[in-house]
Amino acid sequence: LLPDGVTAAGAGIEVIANGPLPDVAVHTDDHGKFEFAPIFPPGYYTLTARDPITAGLAQSRVYLKTGQDLTANLTLRSRGTLRVTVVDGANNPESQARVQVTEVDFPGNTYERVIDASNGGSVTFERVYAGELSITASDSFGRGGRLAMRMPLSSEVVNATVRFNVTGKVSGRFFMPDGAPVRVKLMGYAEEIR
């Protein structure tokens, strides 16, 4: 099926069955239907569909019992454009950050971009597959932010905002009777103070 989950995908889509046998591939007919010859032993199989024209993908894991005929419907996943904006705790755009987008679902691609002064706090990721995404952002000062979202089945640009955690400064004075250096550890950062 096409990404709408209703319309038949049509001919020429490759479907591969991976399991106890070496990979077996077939192609869909004009109605989007596919069929494998009855040669499969019982066991778990991963069915992967790839549309060579739209680059749509689908994957499903099935279990085949002895003597069973199994029907499995696959829905192709579309791709879209994602724009990620990184802001600080006061909601101001960041001018420097590393952004990583990971597709939680199949095919599990990871994309990375860098925000700098030239792109105004936003970066664009094209051809991201619809489904669950994990977005992280970080900078050279140790600040970071994380966002989980779902990329919809949409041809429009989807916007997401990652907010950096609020950071502050810790300062003070340490007194030792003999003037020896003091080692201070704060949330994983260690510094020797004289």
Side-chain angles (χ1 to χ4, degrees), residues 54-175:
T54 67
L57 290 175
Q59 190 173 81
S60 180
R61 189 160 168 80
V62 298
Y63 181 77
L64 186 64
K65 297 178 183 177
T66 302
Q68 176 190 22
D69 289 332
L70 178 70
T71 298
N73 294 326
L74 301 173
T75 301
L76 295 171
R77 297 176 55 206
S78 62
R79 293 197 283 187
T81 300
L82 173 68
R83 181 182 300 120
V84 178
T85 302
V86 179
V87 297
D88 63 16
N91 219 31
N92 299 313
E94 286 291 333
S95 61
Q96 180 186 5
R98 178 181 155 269
V99 180
Q100 183 178 66
V101 175
T102 302
E103 296 166 350
V104 176
D105 302 322
F106 173 78
N109 295 320
T110 297
Y111 312 88
E112 289 189 18
R113 300 278 189 278
V114 174
I115 289 176
D116 57 33
S118 68
N119 48 29
S122 296
V123 286
T124 300
F125 300 87
E126 296 177 345
R127 303 170 67 86
V128 177
Y129 280 100
E132 298 298 325
L133 300 178
S134 172
I135 306 171
T136 58
S138 60
D139 70 3
S140 58
F141 302 108
R143 298 180 301 166
R146 181 180 302 270
L147 176 69
M149 65 167 289
R150 182 166 189 79
M151 184 74 173
L153 301 173
S154 172
S155 59
E156 298 178 6
V157 175
V158 177
N159 293 300
T161 301
V162 178
R163 184 166 283 103
F164 273 168
N165 49 10
V166 178
T167 58
K169 178 181 175 182
V170 177
S171 61
R173 294 174 64 191
F174 290 89
F175 297 93

